[in-house]
Amino acid sequence: DYGGVGVGGLATAGGIGFLGRKQGLTIDHLRAAEIVLADGSVARASDTEHPDLFWAIRGAGANFGIVTSFEFEVERVGNVGWAQLVFDAGDTAGFLERFGQVASSAPRDTTAFVVMGPPRGGQPVIAQVMAMVAADDPDVVVSRLQPFVQIAPLLQQQAVIVPYAGVMGMAPDAEHQAQGEPVSRSALIREITPAFAAAAAGFLNSALVYFFQLRTVGGAVADVDPDATAYAHRTAGFSVVAMGTSSRRLDQAWDGLRDQFDGLYLSFESDPRPERLADAFPPKTLARLRKLKRRYDPDNLFRDNFNIDPAPTSLAETAS
């Protein structure tokens, strides 16, 4: 979704972009990778070479080595429909619920994200929807966008036909200038239910979060068998991201939403608590990852990014 994203994390954690519902995740187009392992050896991983390692790095790659090259199967993408819509989301719960209905029922060629923040200075909550339509026919683009503009009162709108590379090129061609450590929380959900919409509205109105985003997934992402990659949450319809300034205060609110969640996306998560592994990986997937970790990195050299400890945590894992 942004031209400045580094390929290393994108292509080992998942890769949720503006063509996701049509093309799937970035990892779904990975065909091979060259990896420096913990013992210093170099391995090529693919469906036919170290297939177990290839399975693992597509969703949990930071735990197994340093990927030094990627081999992708790609498709040429030309012009697309690109829309930026700004809404009055004062009815925050209603807006989120309606956005979820429209975004999840749209044809696969349409992928939409929404970004929101807390109300400021007595002003209404503003929501910005960014949507891409994988088509260059203006009539098709307009027909795909029309349901979105009816979600809530529309304050600003822009819709154009542009090269896909042009959308990615909106990233500034400059070094990243970061300050401090991010405090972010991530989740995957199957749908935006009335209960989730109401809970998220309360979360936003609490002023504990300065950035809240929903990314639409589903479509082609769900076509892949959950057991085919370490990214196993294929039935999710949305990725949820929240950013705040205090881990303790953010967790107090975020943990209250956890009964609504059905997974976690690694790249948007900064919570180091070990129990978050159970959110990121279903039990069968996590057990398989620990087993592979013991084979490829028994001393846990690669432990900085959402670490999977190779030590077994249950009798069942010990027996395996």
Side-chain angles (χ1 to χ4, degrees):
D1 68 306
Y2 173 75
V5 173
V7 70
L10 184 77
T12 55
I16 300 174
F18 280 120
L19 292 173
R21 300 187 73 243
K22 180 176 175 63
Q23 302 282 7
L25 302 173
T26 302
I27 60 172
D28 298 335
H29 296 264
L30 185 62
R31 295 295 173 261
E34 187 175 86
I35 310 166
V36 178
L37 301 176
D39 63 3
S41 63
V42 178
R44 178 178 167 85
S46 68
D47 282 335
T48 57
E49 304 162 280
H50 298 93
D52 54 350
L53 184 60
F54 188 51
W55 172 87
I57 65 167
R58 289 176 294 166
N63 281 276
F64 292 91
I66 301 170
V67 181
T68 55
S69 69
F70 296 91
E71 182 179 308
F72 292 103
E73 180 178 335
V74 299
E75 290 193 31
R76 185 178 300 275
V77 181
N79 289 341
V80 296
W82 171 245
Q84 294 173 289
L85 311 172
V86 179
F87 295 93
D88 177 343
D91 174 16
T92 305
F95 173 85
L96 290 171
E97 191 174 351
R98 290 188 293 273
F99 171 80
Q101 292 168 349
V102 172
S104 60
S105 62
R108 286 187 173 205
D109 61 8
T110 302
T111 302
F113 297 177
V114 62
V115 175
M116 304 174 70
R120 298 180 185 278
Q123 298 297 314
V125 176
I126 301 299
Q128 180 179 10
V129 170
M130 296 167 286
M132 182 173 286
V133 182
D136 58 6
D137 183 332
D139 291 336
V140 172
V141 173
V142 170
S143 70
R144 299 292 193 263
L145 296 176
Q146 193 61 39
F148 286 95
V149 303
Q150 299 171 351
I151 291 174
L154 191 61
L155 302 178
Q156 295 179 24
Q157 61 176 313
Q158 180 186 42
V160 293
I161 305 292
V162 294
Y164 173 75
V167 179
M168 296 298 102
M170 291 190 299
D173 186 17
E175 294 183 359
H176 288 247
Q177 300 295 326
Q179 295 182 356
E181 292 292 327
V183 177
S184 63
R185 296 295 177 264
S186 165
L188 295 167
I189 58 174
R190 296 200 177 198
E191 60 181 331
I192 300 177
T193 62
F196 173 80
F203 185 57
L204 275 163
N205 289 327
S206 71
L208 295 175
V209 55
Y210 63 82
F211 176 91
F212 181 84
Q213 183 188 60
L214 292 168
R215 295 182 174 213
T216 313
V217 282
V221 177
D223 290 344
V224 177
D225 190 308
D227 293 331
T229 64
Y231 182 105
H233 296 288
R234 296 287 180 167
T235 59
F238 297 89
S239 162
V240 189
V241 186
M243 294 185 180
T245 58
S246 166
S247 293
R248 180 184 60 80
R249 296 182 66 209
L250 187 60
D251 284 338
Q252 287 177 347
W254 190 250
D255 288 350
L257 299 174
R258 291 188 66 179
D259 62 343
Q260 306 285 334
F261 298 156
D262 186 37
L264 175 155
Y265 181 54
L266 299 187
S267 285
F268 299 148
E269 180 59 62
S270 67
D271 184 354
R273 291 178 292 177
E275 57 264 34
R276 297 310 304 275
L277 283 174
D279 298 330
F281 304 108
K284 183 172 71 171
T285 303
L286 182 55
R288 182 177 176 184
L289 286 168
R290 287 199 198 279
K291 187 175 182 179
L292 290 172
K293 182 76 169 179
R294 292 193 286 273
R295 182 192 309 173
Y296 287 104
D297 185 14
D299 296 324
N300 205 18
L301 175 66
F302 300 111
R303 57 183 180 272
D304 289 338
N305 294 318
F306 221 88
N307 182 230
I308 298 171
D309 193 318
T313 59
S314 69
L315 291 176
E317 288 188 46
T318 302
S320 67

